[in-house]
């Protein structure tokens, strides 16, 4: 059941209550990150409703109606995010686990690991103990396989996922692996589930061959009931009468699970289809349906694989799939894990500290802005990030070392460039080190209980008004009031209590400030994306860099800009954006900002740079980074 606690109850009082409950044999769960004052309690029959209501700070009791408790959405409204090293599974992230069905040799595992890492996997899979249908099939390299996996982790930095088939192997697994997998055949092996629960390592729990979603969640409950909340569900196809595919992939499990549980959901299209050509279409569909990640079998020589060769993708096919996913993800509000964009590397994140504190990112406005969402998608939720009042403040904070990263919107697909940031990029000598594209869905947000006809004023930043032009034209009685960010608009209407005021903003902002979405998706066109860039004091030193942003000015002569363009053309450098901005204090003279598909900081580009400089009066590389779409 859920205990509703009195508003503003201190953590000290909560802890006292938790001790009383524990002393009476209750299992207590405090949902993390929700900011709600509730406790989840699973009690023995002897713990009565009267006893609970009599405890200090308890104002109400809401029963959990499902058979599973700890993993239920009723217990925790927020999505669980499972951390494996610096990889996050769940929330706004898409995580890709890839590797062979089984570890066959050191060479095989290492070759595949390097390939899948190059193409964007952030966790490596491979079986060392294989549960095979036939006792005569390859059973895995056992401990030798685990040692190889550990070596793969040491060499590539990829954390390891492998299957446990018996509680007998718990010590071995504990020693070598990061995430343990419970396979479909063992989903209801309750001793194994309890063992995985006690081990405490993150668990990928596959759905049984013929299990209902409720049975699957009950199995997850077994793990959680042992005190291990780090559970990731993985749908891998169920047995049906259809023989064309190995199993039938139940994609409808994704929205069903999203309603029933807070646990992240992965899709394994490899075991689901059993056929190489069917893997990528189902993987793309899974992402579109809201999966939190994928588990994909990849082999460099699938025709020689000791198990599941016919369903294993070639590394290049896997690379193409990841590129597709990279494009689909923002449409459903997700982002591939940031290591794919190569920018916020683990080295950086655990790198130098500010006055003993962790690294920090700053963004515009208020919690709940799209900039905030971009920051948490890019850096992950364990990076401290905080809002500042203006774009200039972002640059200033990064410049003086108050923050390590700034994240700024640079252009929107409907309303165009954010010119102020172009000017600030020129003024401050900071460096672009990464980029991210975010789908922006605008909503009309107001106080609960108000109707659309009650609204007299709408608060939002000017670009949001431009993106919602049609809605505003259709509602001419609503007066527009510009503010600096969507999150600030929502906060202002929440704090003022004025029922006639509405704000334009994200569903997250509405939730954070306990406001109501009056009208969903009011942007003129659903293809509304904002491109953000990350700025730092130092240029990006390592990782894949396939895009550069430069700024230059030319002489005021005929063909001057053409001469610069000619250098790009002759060197086969693709220009993806060109923007001109007036030079302050020099009327009718312009700075050109260009984005190029090339690493202009690469030493091989020196002669190209020389040619550009010959044709420009001013030239600076603002940054070389990875845009994620070219590997
Ligand atoms: C596997 O992932 O290698 C595997 C055996 O999967 P499943 O348990 O889904 O069959
Ligand atoms: Mn397999």
């Amino acid at each position: 059941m859920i205990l509703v606690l009195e508003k503003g109850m201190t953590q000290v009082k909560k802890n006292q209550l938790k001790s009383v409950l524990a002393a009476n044999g209750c299992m207590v769960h405090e949902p993390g990150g929700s900011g709600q004052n509730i406790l989840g309690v699973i009690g023995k029959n002897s713990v009565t409703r009267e006893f609970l209501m009599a405890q200090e700070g308890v104002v109400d009791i809401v029963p959990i109606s499902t058979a599973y408790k700890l993993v239920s959405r009723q217990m925790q409204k927020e999505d669980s995010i499972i951390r494996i090293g610096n990889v996050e599974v769940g929330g706004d992230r898409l995580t890709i686990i890839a590797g062979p069905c089984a570890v066959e040799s050191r060479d095989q595992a290492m070759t595949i690991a390097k390939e899948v890492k190059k193409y964007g996997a952030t966790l490596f899979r491979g079986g060392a103990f294989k549960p095979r249908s036939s006792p005569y099939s390859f059973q895995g390299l056992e401990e030798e396989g685990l040692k190889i996996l550990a070596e793969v982790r040491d060499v590539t930095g990829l954390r390891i996922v492998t299957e446990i088939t018996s509680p007998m192997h718990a010590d071995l697994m504990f020693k070598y692996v990061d995430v343990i997998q419970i396979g479909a055949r063992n989903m209801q092996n309750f001793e194994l589930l309890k063992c995985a629960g006690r081990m405490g390592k993150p668990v990928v729990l596959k759905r049984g061959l013929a299990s209902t979603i409720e049975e699957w969640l009950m199995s997850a409950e077994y793990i959680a009931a042992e005190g291990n909340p780090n559970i990731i569900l993985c749908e891998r196809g169920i047995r049906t009468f259809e023989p064309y595919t190995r199993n039938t992939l139940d994609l409808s499990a994704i929205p069903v699970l999203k309603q029933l549980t807070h646990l992240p959901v992965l899709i394994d299209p490899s075991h689901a289809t059993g056929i190489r050509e069917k893997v990528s279409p189902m993987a793309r569909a899974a992402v579109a349906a809201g999966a939190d990640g994928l588990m994909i079998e990849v082999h460099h020589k699938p025709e020689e694989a000791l198990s599941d060769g016919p369903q294993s993708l070639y590394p290049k096919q896997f690379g193409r799939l990841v590129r597709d996913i990279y494009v689909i993800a923002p449409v459903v509000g997700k982002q591939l894990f940031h290591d794919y964009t190569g920018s916020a590397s683990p080295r950086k994140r655990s790198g130098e500290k500010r006055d003993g504190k962790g690294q920090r990112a700053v963004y515009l406005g208020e919690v709940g802005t799209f900039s905030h969402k971009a920051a948490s998608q890019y850096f992950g939720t364990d990076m401290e990030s905080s809002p500042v009042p203006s774009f200039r403040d972002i640059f200033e904070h990064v410049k003086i070392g108050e923050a390590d990263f700034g994240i700024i919107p640079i252009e929107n697909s409907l309303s165009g460039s954010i010119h102020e940031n172009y000017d600030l990029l020129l003024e401050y000598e900071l460096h672009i080190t990464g980029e991210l594209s975010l789908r922006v869905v605008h909503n009309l947000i107001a106080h609960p209980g108000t109707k659309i006809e009650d609204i007299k004023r709408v608060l939002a930043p000017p670009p949001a008004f431009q993106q919602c032009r049609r809605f505003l034209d259709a509602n001419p009685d609503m007066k527009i009031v510009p503010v600096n960010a969507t999150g600030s608009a929502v906060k202002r209407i929440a704090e003022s209590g004025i029922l006639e005021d509405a704000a334009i903003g994200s569903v997250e902002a509405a939730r954070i400030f306990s406001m109501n979405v009056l009208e969903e998706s009011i942007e003129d066109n659903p293809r509304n994306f904002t491109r953000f860039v990350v700025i730092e004091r130092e240029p990006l030193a390592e990782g894949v860099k396939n895009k550069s942003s430069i700024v230059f000015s030319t002489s005021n002569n005929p063909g001057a800009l053409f001469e610069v363009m000619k250098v790009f053309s002759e060197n086969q450098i693709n220009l993806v954006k060109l923007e001109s901005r007036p030079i302050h204090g020099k009327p009718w003279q312009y700075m050109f900002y260009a984005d190029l598909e090339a690493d202009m900081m690469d030493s091989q580009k020196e002669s190209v740079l020389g040619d550009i400089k010959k044709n420009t009066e001013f030239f600076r590389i603002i940054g070389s980074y990875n845009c994620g779409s070219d590997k």
Side-chain angles (χ1 to χ4, degrees):
M1 62 206 84
I2 308 278
L3 299 192
V4 182
L5 309 177
E6 70 189 12
K7 249 193 180 160
M9 184 167 174
T10 61
Q11 194 58 44
V12 177
K13 286 206 162 163
K14 254 192 225 177
N15 291 346
Q16 281 165 359
L17 174 62
K18 279 161 75 176
S19 322
V20 173
L21 295 169
N24 281 276
C26 297
M27 200 187 288
V28 186
H29 172 80
E30 189 174 351
S34 63
Q36 305 163 60
N37 247 14
I38 57 171
L39 280 183
V41 176
I42 298 173
K44 297 194 171 138
N45 288 345
S46 55
V47 178
T48 60
R49 193 184 158 83
E50 290 67 39
F51 168 80
L52 291 170
M53 279 307 285
Q55 300 308 311
E56 202 188 329
V58 177
V59 292
D60 199 6
I61 297 174
V62 183
I64 296 179
S65 51
T66 48
Y68 43 88
K69 310 284 179 196
L70 294 167
V71 304
S72 78
R73 190 59 96 176
Q74 291 170 54
M75 181 65 89
Q76 181 177 305
K77 290 205 168 45
E78 307 276 320
D79 288 340
S80 276
I81 294 177
I82 314 298
R83 294 203 165 82
I84 303 144
N86 72 336
V87 175
E88 290 180 355
V89 185
D92 285 344
R93 288 298 181 78
L94 260 181
T95 309
I96 303 202
I97 306 176
C101 180
V103 177
E104 299 165 9
S105 69
R106 185 189 174 279
D107 259 15
Q108 174 251 17
M110 205 60 86
T111 306
I112 300 171
K114 286 181 182 163
E115 289 282 314
V116 298
K117 178 176 176 173
K118 180 172 84 188
Y119 289 123
T122 46
L123 295 169
F124 183 68
R125 61 148 289 146
F129 292 88
K130 293 302 302 174
R132 305 302 300 278
S133 303
S134 161
Y136 308 118
S137 301
F138 174 61
Q139 304 284 310
L141 296 182
E142 305 190 342
E143 185 170 2
E144 183 52 30
L146 296 181
K147 284 186 184 159
I148 293 172
L149 286 170
E151 206 185 328
V152 165
R153 175 188 43 226
D154 294 344
V155 172
T156 63
L158 293 173
R159 305 285 168 133
I160 300 303
V161 184
T162 200
E163 181 166 351
I164 185 168
T165 51
S166 160
M168 259 168 30
H169 303 142
D171 289 344
L172 266 185
M173 292 280 163
F174 203 84
K175 196 160 135 196
Y176 295 111
V177 308
D178 304 293
V179 181
I180 57 169
Q181 177 174 319
I182 305 241
R185 289 153 196 83
N186 273 317
M187 190 205 85
Q188 283 189 315
N189 180 339
F190 300 114
E191 289 312 313
L192 190 61
L193 294 170
K194 285 191 239 170
C195 164
R198 286 193 295 269
M199 281 173 74
K201 295 226 181 210
V203 181
V204 169
L205 177 64
K206 289 213 164 178
R207 181 177 183 179
L209 303 170
S211 300
T212 65
I213 289 175
E214 181 157 307
E215 286 164 342
W216 188 12
L217 289 172
M218 289 306 294
S219 291
E221 188 77 11
Y222 262 93
I223 300 169
E226 292 293 333
N228 183 356
N230 301 313
I231 308 161
I232 301 160
L233 301 169
C234 181
E235 157 68 37
R236 43 78 73 208
I238 47 175
R239 278 279 162 85
T240 69
F241 48 82
E242 177 52 65
Y244 268 102
T245 47
R246 182 173 171 181
N247 294 289
T248 296
L249 179 58
D250 181 10
L251 280 184
S252 59
I254 301 170
V256 171
L257 286 167
K258 288 282 160 202
Q259 194 183 0
L260 298 178
T261 177
H262 51 83
L263 298 177
V265 182
L266 302 184
I267 292 292
D268 168 355
S270 308
H271 293 90
T273 63
I275 306 164
R276 184 173 308 122
E277 309 81 72
K278 313 286 182 260
V279 170
S280 295
M282 297 321 290
R284 293 192 295 261
V287 172
D292 296 299
L294 298 167
M295 176 180 271
I296 311 273
E297 285 189 344
V298 178
H299 203 293
H300 63 310
K301 289 183 185 160
E303 48 302 322
E304 291 172 22
L306 296 180
S307 62
D308 286 349
Q311 70 194 32
S312 300
L313 295 188
Y314 288 94
K316 276 205 162 148
Q317 280 180 312
F318 172 68
R320 276 200 295 279
L321 170 63
V322 177
R323 290 178 57 147
D324 287 348
I325 302 295
Y326 182 79
V327 178
I328 298 170
V331 176
V332 288
K334 292 214 182 247
Q335 235 29 260
L336 271 179
F337 183 68
H338 65 82
D339 268 8
Y340 180 56
T341 61
S343 322
S345 69
R347 182 193 60 75
K348 269 204 168 139
R349 302 181 78 214
S350 58
E352 72 272 21
K353 307 274 186 217
R354 261 177 326 116
D355 307 332
K357 292 185 222 144
Q359 292 186 308
R360 185 160 84 108
V362 282
Y363 57 88
L364 178 74
E366 190 54 64
V367 289
T369 55
F370 292 102
S371 290
H372 180 205
K373 189 166 172 152
S376 58
Q377 288 198 356
Y378 191 85
F379 297 110
T381 49
D382 57 348
M383 162 84 77
E384 184 197 339
S385 66
S386 36
V388 293
S390 70
F391 288 135
R392 183 173 287 283
D393 288 322
I394 299 179
F395 282 81
E396 201 59 40
H397 271 69
V398 177
K399 181 182 159 189
I400 63 172
E402 257 303 296
D404 305 281
F405 307 96
I407 190 152
I408 51 166
I410 199 85
E411 62 174 328
N412 175 271
S413 57
L414 295 185
S415 55
S417 293
I418 290 117
H419 293 129
E420 185 182 348
N421 281 333
Y422 276 94
D423 294 345
L424 288 164
L425 280 169
L426 181 65
E427 183 183 332
Y428 283 79
E429 301 221 340
L430 300 174
H431 303 268
I432 297 180
T433 56
E435 72 166 9
L436 163 141
S437 174
L438 189 79
R439 180 168 173 206
V440 172
V441 178
H442 285 305
N443 304 281
L444 188 73
I445 296 167
H447 285 268
T450 47
K451 295 199 197 68
I452 197 149
E453 48 276 21
D454 302 334
I455 303 302
K456 298 277 185 299
R457 301 198 314 163
V458 184
L459 284 69
F465 291 132
Q466 286 164 29
Q467 292 158 35
C468 303
R469 177 69 20 232
R470 253 186 249 146
F471 174 85
L472 294 167
D473 286 349
N475 291 280
D477 295 342
M478 293 183 188
K479 194 168 158 268
I480 60 171
V481 181
V483 295
N484 75 343
T486 51
S488 328
V490 182
K491 185 177 184 196
R492 259 179 64 177
I493 64 158
E495 285 178 352
S496 74
I498 302 173
L499 300 182
E500 293 177 344
D501 280 357
I504 294 177
S506 65
V507 282
E508 287 84 1
R511 186 174 44 76
I512 291 169
F513 297 107
S514 304
M515 293 283 105
N516 187 36
V517 171
L518 263 187
E519 186 96 10
E520 281 175 45
S521 193
I522 59 168
E523 69 282 7
D524 287 356
N525 188 310
R527 287 195 197 165
N528 187 27
F529 292 89
T530 297
R531 194 163 71 87
F532 289 84
V533 295
V534 176
I535 50 171
E536 293 182 52
R537 284 182 295 286
E538 299 298 328
L540 193 61
E542 55 186 51
V544 181
K545 290 178 266 175
N546 52 23
K547 189 169 179 183
S548 298
S549 295
I550 59 168
V551 55
F552 61 91
S553 65
T554 62
S555 60
N556 199 2
N557 293 324
L561 178 61
F562 170 75
E563 288 302 327
V564 183
M565 297 294 115
K566 209 165 94 191
V567 178
F568 301 147
S569 163
E570 282 168 352
N571 290 281
Q572 300 283 308
I573 294 174
N574 191 28
L575 177 78
V576 284
K577 180 165 188 203
L578 183 63
E579 172 98 25
S580 68
R581 291 284 305 142
I583 301 177
H584 292 192
K586 291 190 182 169
W588 322 126
Q589 292 192 38
Y590 298 90
M591 275 291 170
F592 295 101
Y593 293 78
D595 286 347
L596 308 167
E597 273 182 350
D599 176 4
M600 299 303 284
M601 287 177 162
D602 187 61
S603 53
Q604 289 176 359
K605 289 283 183 307
E606 254 169 43
S607 72
V608 182
L609 291 183
D611 289 346
I612 300 174
K613 282 179 191 157
K614 262 186 243 153
N615 289 291
T616 51
E617 291 186 339
F618 172 88
F619 172 75
R620 182 153 74 85
I621 301 174
I622 313 178
S624 287
Y625 48 97
N626 186 359
C627 75
S629 62
D630 183 12
K631 281 259 172 173

